[in-house]
Amino acid sequence: MKAVILAGGLGTRISEETVNRPKPMVNIGGRPILWHIMKSYSSHGIHDFVICCGYMGYVIKEYFANYFLHMSDVTFDMSDNSMEIHERHAEPWRVTLVDTGENTQTGGRLARVAKYLRDEEAFCFTYGDGVADIDLSAEIDFHKAHGKLATVAAVQPPGRFGALELKGDDVDAFVEKPLGDGGFINGGYFVLSPKVLDYIAEGDQTVFEGSVLKKLIADQQLAAYRHTGFWRPMDNLRDKIMLEDLWQTGEAPWKTW
């Protein structure tokens, strides 16, 4: 099975980090968040990736072009212009990098990589700026069982602020970053039939979260896989710092490999 990852947005809400690189290349623990997402999929046996590039896509291409060097020890002998690789740590990945345009919307990016997906029974589809401990194998099994064209991981977002539990006028407890109001939102981890590609009608300007999902819902072709565990997008610098802290303290729930 293939996994398609959106990696072409401008990342304006975290501009402190995206001046010189696309958002999926912002580091968590010394590795791009894109790498963390791919490691999550790879831990469930998915090693074939299609990356939808856009803004500063060449940075992503250069990273994978030199991935073997990034992940290995190497000796350069300048006297004879030779290179010797030691301690190889490369992943079993096949990575297809596609320029899908700087201003293309999410559905349009998916349409631009359609030729790599038409022959698949199903494929995964996600954003390149968030991590979770979703059981991807279970979501795929759920998708195959219900028979609809699309599955979305439904998640409960964290509350933005700490919550006070009150008993009368007394503070009974304080909960740091509780879950929100209990409602579920789009967690961004999809499993899709290639037939979903036929729902993309407005070309590059098709918003997957808009017209495509609405059409699937109208046709009763979208099912929700409930995930109540860890899920965090990296929308801004505060999110980036929080994810970094979790990684550095060895408490990163998304590290399932």
Side-chain angles (χ1 to χ4, degrees):
M1 181 174 283
K2 294 181 179 180
V4 179
I5 304 177
L6 294 173
L10 297 176
T12 54
R13 287 180 291 182
I14 190 171
S15 58
E16 303 93 338
E17 294 281 343
T18 56
V19 174
N20 298 312
R21 55 186 167 182
K23 190 177 180 184
M25 295 303 291
V26 174
N27 284 346
I28 301 296
R31 297 278 186 268
I33 192 169
L34 176 62
W35 178 89
H36 291 261
I37 296 167
M38 294 170 71
K39 286 287 285 186
S40 295
Y41 276 105
S42 192
S43 70
H44 289 272
I46 297 173
H47 310 303
D48 196 344
F49 299 94
V50 179
I51 312 296
C52 300
C53 301
Y55 170 69
M56 299 188 77
Y58 65 88
V59 176
I60 302 176
K61 292 179 180 179
E62 288 175 355
Y63 176 76
F64 284 106
N66 295 301
Y67 187 81
F68 204 64
L69 296 180
H70 285 295
M71 302 301 292
S72 305
D73 297 333
V74 59
T75 297
F76 295 100
D77 191 331
M78 304 305 177
S79 64
D80 61 2
N81 195 30
S82 65
M83 179 179 70
E84 182 181 359
I85 301 293
H86 317 281
E87 299 295 326
R88 305 173 182 224
H89 300 294
E91 308 290 346
W93 294 345
R94 185 174 188 270
V95 185
T96 301
L97 300 156
V98 182
D99 182 2
T100 57
E102 284 201 8
N103 300 310
T104 307
Q105 296 294 333
T106 50
R109 294 191 190 282
L110 183 57
R112 287 213 186 187
V113 299
K115 66 180 180 181
Y116 301 103
L117 307 170
R118 289 288 185 187
D119 295 332
E120 300 294 309
E121 178 184 354
F123 62 92
C124 296
F125 178 54
T126 194
Y127 307 111
D129 62 354
V131 287
D133 62 354
I134 292 176
D135 187 338
L136 295 165
S137 295
E139 183 183 8
I140 292 168
D141 289 342
F142 173 78
H143 174 81
K144 292 178 179 178
H146 65 60
K148 296 181 185 295
L149 297 182
T151 298
V152 58
V155 302
Q156 295 175 294
R160 182 176 177 185
F161 303 104
L164 299 176
E165 294 183 2
L166 303 179
K167 184 178 292 184
D169 292 332
D170 297 329
V171 177
D172 195 47
F174 176 76
V175 182
E176 177 66 13
K177 299 295 188 294
L179 289 176
D181 59 8
F184 284 89
I185 66 169
N186 166 18
Y189 284 82
F190 297 90
V191 184
L192 305 175
S193 161
K195 293 180 180 179
V196 169
L197 298 168
D198 297 331
Y199 283 73
I200 301 173
E202 294 86 26
D204 283 354
Q205 297 310 305
T206 303
V207 179
F208 184 81
E209 303 80 5
S211 62
V212 177
L213 290 187
K214 288 179 180 178
K215 291 175 185 175
L216 288 168
I217 292 170
D219 290 347
Q220 297 184 325
Q221 289 296 327
L222 180 63
Y225 173 79
R226 286 180 172 84
H227 172 66
T228 56
F230 179 85
W231 173 85
R232 292 293 188 282
M234 189 180 66
D235 284 337
N236 50 49
L237 188 59
R238 181 185 63 207
D239 294 332
K240 192 265 184 189
I241 293 171
M242 184 271 290
L243 293 174
E244 182 71 34
D245 288 344
L246 287 173
W247 184 267
Q248 294 300 339
T249 57
E251 299 177 359
W254 71 90
K255 188 179 184 299
T256 56
W257 57 88

